[in-house]
Amino acid sequence: MSGRAWGVLFVLCGAIFLEGIDVAMLNVALPSIREDLGMSTGMLQWVMSAYVLGYGGFMLLGGRAADLFGRRQMFVFWLVVFLLFSGLGGFATEGWMLIVARFVTGVAAAFMTPAGLSIITTSFEEGPKRNKALLVYSGTAAGGFSIGLVVGGLLAAVNWRWVFFAPVILSFLILITALALIPKSARPSRDGQPVDLGGAITVTGAILLLVFSVERATHVAVSWTVGTVAASLVLFLAFVAIERRSSSPLVRLGIFANSKLVRSNIAALLFAAGFFGFQFIVVLYLQELRNWSTLETSFAMIVIGIDAILSPTLTPKLVEKFGNARVIFGGLILASLSYALFLPVGPDWTYAMMFPSLIILGLAFSLAYGPLTIVGTEGIDEEEQGVAGGLLYTSFQFGAALGLSSVAAVNIATTDGSSPAAQLDGYQAALVVPLVAALLATLISAFGLRDRSGVADKSVAEAAPVS
């Protein structure tokens, strides 16, 4: 790759690192925020949920906006919005101010992230070069989340407001380098065709309602959740009807004829559900049952961040030798093994007993996440790369929300009392959810092995793309 291409990749890696570190830092700062702003537990939950709602709800629209209005334009504009509202969150004096700031920051990330991914997929030729770029990119994302756990604990120990101010500084540096390095491009021509407002409104509303229902599932009556999901499905049906009749659809329904895209999105959703659900239960186990501090927990979990090292180093070699499908399959098997090893967790497990599960999960993430990103955007026409990226990140985000909600629901339902033994029973029952999700993802990915997409991936990628 040329020096300019590496520079562009560096900028985009900085942006996805920013998104990862922003989320992770906030996770460990929540207790300090609640104490300072006097927020109830329910209101505090919305500090996280508001971001997830904005991020997951607008991701698909954000991906299409990059295709329609220009990838560089969307990336830069929404990076500025991300910068401004992250800073405003740090100045919040009331809980509602922080929640609004987090929602808008999530929306900004929903437009910025698929724009950045589509810049990579359209800047690098499909095949080994693009694969290398995407694996470096995914490794950086993982590194942001892992490092954010520790950095967030350190900043929160000084003042929780620095958890919001620190991303502002990083955002500004990324913005300056983005303006200098990402080449300008002409605004895409739509040949006089109108923007699909009907499709945009219905699909965004549908996704918002679906994410909202999953996020609130453990806090409201079942009938309320069922009603919200039903309303979401009605909007999805309306979206499909609009797209079939639109001359310039927001999402061309024919894109779902790409079996690799569909398979990678389903596997990504299940993988994210298991990954984030597992981490949530482990954190509860360490902090609530074992009374570990936030910083001790962060350092214990950081071993999962080995994926930041392995994704750009080991994974490209494995992909080149065995192909994306086999590497994804191997990663998902390892994820299943990781969760299975943690199932018999006891009340006094040493860190050495937890370590194999955590290190295997880091390896699993490095093998699955990047190649899933490659397969999810492979063989897609350039003018639809934003949509493909939006679909993939929507799957990851919705999967994370689904996994967190599911493990929380199982944990609550199976915890009979407040004794340590009752807590442990609840954690062990909830840990079955990530294992089931990983096994289902493994089963889905196994169908990809029939495509002869092992060693042949490279040659297939160099062949004519399938629209």
Side-chain angles (χ1 to χ4, degrees):
M1 291 187 288
S2 66
R4 180 66 174 263
W6 275 111
V8 171
L9 181 60
F10 172 78
V11 171
L12 299 173
C13 283
I16 199 66
F17 178 85
L18 169 69
E19 192 273 329
I21 199 172
D22 176 81
V23 174
M25 288 195 303
L26 183 59
N27 269 329
V28 295
L30 289 177
S32 301
I33 293 172
R34 172 163 55 184
E35 182 179 354
D36 192 26
L37 298 184
M39 300 175 70
S40 66
T41 301
M43 198 173 194
L44 186 70
Q45 184 259 344
W46 271 107
V47 175
M48 289 300 297
S49 294
Y51 182 88
V52 172
L53 195 63
Y55 196 2
F58 286 84
M59 182 71 74
L60 187 55
L61 180 59
R64 187 55 176 156
D67 292 330
L68 293 176
F69 303 112
R71 299 178 177 93
R72 182 183 188 270
Q73 293 92 319
M74 287 292 99
F75 178 81
V76 169
F77 175 80
W78 288 102
L79 177 58
V80 172
V81 176
F82 188 99
L83 182 158
L84 291 174
F85 278 85
S86 182
L88 288 174
F91 287 111
T93 56
E94 300 286 343
W96 68 266
M97 297 179 183
L98 189 55
I99 291 170
V100 170
R102 290 305 295 168
F103 177 75
V104 179
T105 305
V107 173
F111 281 82
M112 181 178 71
T113 303
L117 177 61
S118 62
I119 289 173
I120 293 177
T121 55
T122 55
S123 298
F124 295 91
E125 180 183 357
E126 191 170 283
K129 289 182 179 179
R130 183 191 292 181
N131 291 354
K132 175 70 173 178
L134 288 174
L135 291 170
V136 171
Y137 183 72
S138 63
T140 308
F145 188 81
S146 303
I147 294 171
L149 290 173
V150 176
V151 173
L154 294 172
L155 291 177
V158 178
N159 191 308
W160 66 264
R161 296 182 186 276
W162 277 104
V163 169
F164 295 91
F165 295 146
V168 172
I169 299 170
L170 182 57
S171 299
F172 183 75
L173 294 174
I174 294 170
L175 177 62
I176 297 302
T177 51
L179 291 172
L181 294 176
I182 298 179
K184 295 180 180 180
S185 57
R187 180 169 170 168
S189 172
R190 300 196 303 274
D191 299 324
Q193 293 182 340
V195 177
D196 182 14
L197 290 178
I201 292 170
T202 51
V203 76
T204 301
I207 296 173
L208 279 170
L209 280 175
L210 194 58
V211 173
F212 182 70
S213 65
V214 168
E215 280 287 303
R216 299 297 296 165
T218 56
H219 305 280
V220 297
V222 174
S223 58
W224 190 95
T225 300
V226 171
T228 310
V229 171
S232 172
L233 293 177
V234 169
L235 285 176
F236 272 121
L237 290 174
F239 168 70
V240 171
I242 290 171
E243 299 308 278
R244 283 178 173 174
R245 299 175 183 176
S246 176
S247 59
S248 55
L250 182 75
V251 179
R252 183 180 60 83
L253 298 180
I255 197 172
F256 296 106
N258 186 315
S259 60
K260 285 186 176 182
L261 179 143
V262 173
R263 191 166 53 244
S264 63
N265 275 265
I266 296 174
L269 186 152
L270 292 167
F271 176 67
F275 184 78
F276 287 98
F278 175 78
Q279 288 192 83
F280 178 72
I281 294 299
V282 172
V283 168
L284 289 182
Y285 165 75
L286 293 176
Q287 293 191 355
E288 292 186 350
L289 186 64
R290 305 296 300 278
N291 295 315
W292 287 25
S293 70
T294 298
L295 206 54
E296 286 175 325
T297 302
S298 298
F299 277 113
M301 301 287 284
I302 199 173
V303 66
I304 300 175
I306 192 174
D307 53 359
I309 300 171
L310 298 179
S311 289
T313 55
L314 174 64
T315 308
K317 296 176 182 178
L318 294 177
V319 166
E320 184 176 359
K321 184 173 183 179
F322 299 107
N324 286 306
R326 287 183 172 83
V327 174
I328 291 170
F329 185 73
L332 294 174
I333 287 178
L334 287 177
S336 303
L337 174 62
S338 168
Y339 305 146
L341 288 174
F342 213 88
L343 277 180
V345 61
D348 54 358
W349 265 26
T350 63
Y351 184 65
M353 298 173 74
M354 307 176 210
F355 185 81
S357 183
L358 300 177
I359 193 74
I360 290 173
L361 184 57
L363 177 58
F365 194 97
S366 69
L367 297 182
Y369 183 72
L372 280 171
T373 305
I374 295 170
V375 175
T377 56
E378 193 174 56
I380 305 298
D381 290 341
E382 182 172 328
E383 61 269 19
E384 291 185 313
Q385 282 292 331
V387 168
L391 284 169
L392 186 67
Y393 280 119
T394 298
S395 296
F396 276 123
Q397 196 65 28
F398 181 70
L402 183 62
L404 290 169
S405 178
S406 299
V407 296
V410 172
N411 182 41
I412 292 170
T414 56
T415 302
D416 185 16
S418 57
S419 67
Q423 284 182 301
L424 186 61
D425 288 342
Y427 299 148
Q428 289 176 333
L431 285 169
V432 174
V433 175
L435 177 58
V436 171
L439 290 172
L440 287 174
T442 305
L443 177 62
I444 294 296
S445 70
F447 289 97
L449 301 176
R450 301 186 308 175
D451 293 341
R452 299 180 60 83
S453 55
V455 183
D457 267 358
K458 185 165 66 174
S459 61
V460 171
E462 291 168 353
V466 180
S467 58

